Amino acid sequence: MAEHTRRTVLRGAAGLAAAGALTGTATRQAAAAAESPADRHHPFLEGAFAPVTEELTAFDLPVTGRVPRELNGRFLRNGPNVLGLEDPRAHHWMLGDGMVHGVRLRDGRAEWYRNRWVRSSQVTAKLGESYPGPVPPDDFACNTHVIPYRGRILALQESGPLPYELDGELNTVGAYDFRGTLEGAFTAHTKYDARADELHAITYYPTWDHVRHLVVDPTGRVARTTRIPVRDAPMMHDFALTGKHVVVFDIPVTFDPAAAEAGALVPYVWNREHPARVGVMPRSGGEVRWFGVDPVFYSHTLNAYDEGDSVVIDLTTYPAPFDVAGQHTDGPHAVGTARLERWTVDLRHGHVRRRTLDDRPQEFPRVNEELVSRRHRYGYSAAAAEMSLAYLAGDGNPPDHAFSNALLKHDFARGTAQVHRLPRGAAAGEAVFVPGEHAAQEDDGFTLAYVHNPDRGAADLLILAAQDFTGEPLARIHLPGRVPLGFHGSWVPDA
């Protein structure tokens, strides 16, 4: 197999190829590149997805309601925001330059809002700035997640680039390699176990014949790397962690070197010959036990935990097949909406039980982060109509429930969900739970989310009392601009 860097693998050999077709063949991907911009649909460049064109700074933000005084920190969200796009055929939503949006809260005030592009070498060149120091390998403006880690703020991306560190005002500090110990790719979805004080990751790369489980120890160094052999170079966007196990999802989205050579922007395809399976490995490393499942696209983990001789994972899935590259659009294509499921891996009897927890369209599931790898009762997710409709573009008449905007709180003990409904046009981003200062219960705290305000044509930061989830927001913080629909974020508390 030829050597591929992130530029050749994920930007395309010529940088002008269009996104691929559902079957995943290089021929159809190359044919799509020949279409004129008018022939293609660009839902991920329009409406709630439309990129913003400038970096803003605003102070003393107006607030409807009251910001809880105990919320002292920054609410950050990362997402793709393409910069300097001249030809829509050269665009795929997942490859937009990363932009981090943030609101600073302190003592009951919304002190500021900022949005800043992550300064990779490509972004600095587009902005006419100089890149400080040598350019790291597989350089990319990480666009998928932003997390706090040991006093640092890290923007994350999978399959190649190093994380980028940001300062408290969202300026880019530089690439971060965990004190010189990170070799190769990192992930967009880390799992931090607060009890063990360990940061875990599953990393993949298109030329590897394996994926890697990394453990970052309390000193901030990668202390252990376990290689897990796989075939076909599958995409592993997320994973699950329990007190005893690491869980990996080997699904039929795999790297297509022929598509990469043909110039496909995203040369990952639905591979009908690649069996779907779940792997369970001891956290300390060792043999992986594999369990076959029906083909499905696994999207994100809410949380996972051990229960006797079983491993329980709550996660979002899309029905098969799922086209990461897109079908005549500039973003992913699905044949159905995402739903929330529970997978129970029975280690004693050797099988996986799947159960639908909530079939309403929803994505970006989150949990109280203090419970990562341990049993949880509550979870949070978001329903954004424009995201469902963009994923379903060209698939005829979408179901009525794809048109709703809402934030959801799931009670897994009762098997119920509370729905905080939002108006038409109020596209909701990921809902992040923040524990209260003296929280006595798992859901004692707040849920924060950026939500588009169609009346203002800009975003609001909604703050809900998690124990009064369907009630009026405690605060609506009115931002000076839009926060395009994007990916993931975090609450970064003051030290």
Side-chain angles (χ1 to χ4, degrees), residues 11 55 81 83 96-98 116-129 131 139-142 172:
R11 290 250 178 226
E55 297 177 327
N81 194 94
L83 173 63
D97 305 292
R116 297 291 186 269
W117 274 289
V118 178
R119 260 50 173 192
S120 67
S121 58
Q122 299 98 324
V123 167
T124 55
K126 292 176 185 178
L127 293 173
E129 303 171 357
Y131 186 85
D139 188 36
F140 187 73
C142 299
T172 300

Side-chain angles (χ1 to χ4, degrees), residues 20-370:
L22 183 62
T23 60
T25 65
T27 301
R28 290 183 63 184
Q29 291 203 9
E35 297 175 357
S36 69
D39 294 330
R40 298 179 60 75
H41 185 35
H42 302 286
F44 294 91
L45 286 172
E46 304 164 358
F49 292 96
V52 298
T53 58
E54 59 183 339
E55 297 177 327
L56 302 176
T57 303
F59 297 95
D60 296 322
L61 307 176
V63 178
T64 298
R66 292 186 178 182
V67 176
R69 295 184 65 85
E70 63 191 276
L71 286 176
N72 291 289
R74 295 160 175 80
F75 182 62
L76 308 182
R77 210 284 332 261
N78 199 355
N81 194 94
V82 64
L83 173 63
L85 180 67
E86 296 180 358
D87 187 342
R89 291 176 299 173
H91 178 64
H92 188 282
W93 179 47
M94 296 190 303
L95 298 180
D97 305 292
M99 175 177 276
V100 177
H101 300 257
V103 172
R104 172 69 159 109
L105 304 180
R106 178 153 50 191
D107 297 331
R109 294 179 295 117
E111 282 194 345
W112 54 249
Y113 162 79
R114 285 180 167 86
N115 64 313
R116 297 291 186 269
W117 274 289
V118 178
R119 260 50 173 192
S120 67
S121 58
Q122 299 98 324
V123 167
T124 55
K126 292 176 185 178
L127 293 173
E129 303 171 357
S130 59
Y131 186 85
V135 177
D138 295 312
D139 188 36
F140 187 73
C142 299
N143 70 12
T144 311
H145 208 340
V146 56
I147 64 168
Y149 183 67
R150 300 196 175 283
R152 304 176 189 270
I153 297 172
L154 302 180
L156 303 181
Q157 180 85 19
E158 66 203 73
S159 187
L162 292 173
Y164 264 98
E165 182 181 353
L166 311 178
D167 68 16
E169 295 185 342
L170 308 188
N171 302 304
T172 300
V173 176
Y176 183 69
D177 60 4
F178 294 93
R179 304 177 69 177
T181 62
L182 177 61
E183 297 180 1
F186 201 55
T187 183
H189 286 287
T190 55
K191 308 293 180 195
Y192 177 68
D193 184 331
R195 281 186 174 178
D197 195 8
E198 292 178 344
L199 188 72
H200 291 248
I202 291 291
T203 67
Y204 71 93
Y205 197 72
T207 59
W208 292 352
D209 61 359
H210 61 276
V211 297
R212 299 176 185 178
H213 171 230
L214 309 181
V215 181
V216 184
D217 69 14
T219 71
R221 294 180 171 88
V222 177
R224 188 171 69 250
T225 300
T226 302
R227 297 191 177 195
I228 302 172
V230 294
R231 66 178 181 87
D232 300 330
M235 174 181 286
M236 289 195 183
H237 177 63
D238 200 354
F239 73 107
L241 183 73
T242 74
K244 299 177 182 178
H245 300 99
V246 176
V247 184
V248 294
F249 300 85
D250 185 2
I251 59 172
V253 175
T254 64
F255 178 66
D256 184 342
E261 293 297 335
L265 281 175
V266 180
Y268 279 86
V269 299
W270 186 264
N271 183 349
R272 301 180 189 275
E273 304 303 316
H274 186 90
R277 58 183 188 163
V278 179
V280 179
M281 182 183 76
R283 270 178 59 152
S284 57
E287 183 179 355
V288 179
R289 292 186 61 190
W290 292 103
F291 305 84
V293 294
D294 290 335
V296 67
F297 181 76
Y298 153 71
S299 183
H300 295 103
T301 298
L302 186 150
N303 193 31
Y305 56 88
D306 300 298
E307 186 175 65
D309 292 325
S310 295
V311 173
V312 180
I313 311 113
D314 291 340
L315 67 164
T316 49
T317 68
Y318 289 85
F322 185 91
D323 185 18
V324 175
Q327 188 178 42
H328 307 298
T329 69
D330 51 359
H333 176 266
V335 295
T337 55
R339 63 184 184 180
L340 186 65
E341 294 191 9
R342 171 164 290 178
W343 291 15
T344 302
V345 183
D346 187 330
L347 300 175
R348 174 177 292 181
H349 298 101
H351 61 81
V352 179
R353 297 191 303 275
R354 290 177 54 186
R355 178 164 65 95
T356 299
L357 297 175
D358 195 323
D359 63 0
R360 281 172 285 205
Q362 59 196 281
E363 253 289 16
F364 306 140
R366 297 295 293 259
V367 71
N368 182 335
E369 297 289 310
E370 295 179 355

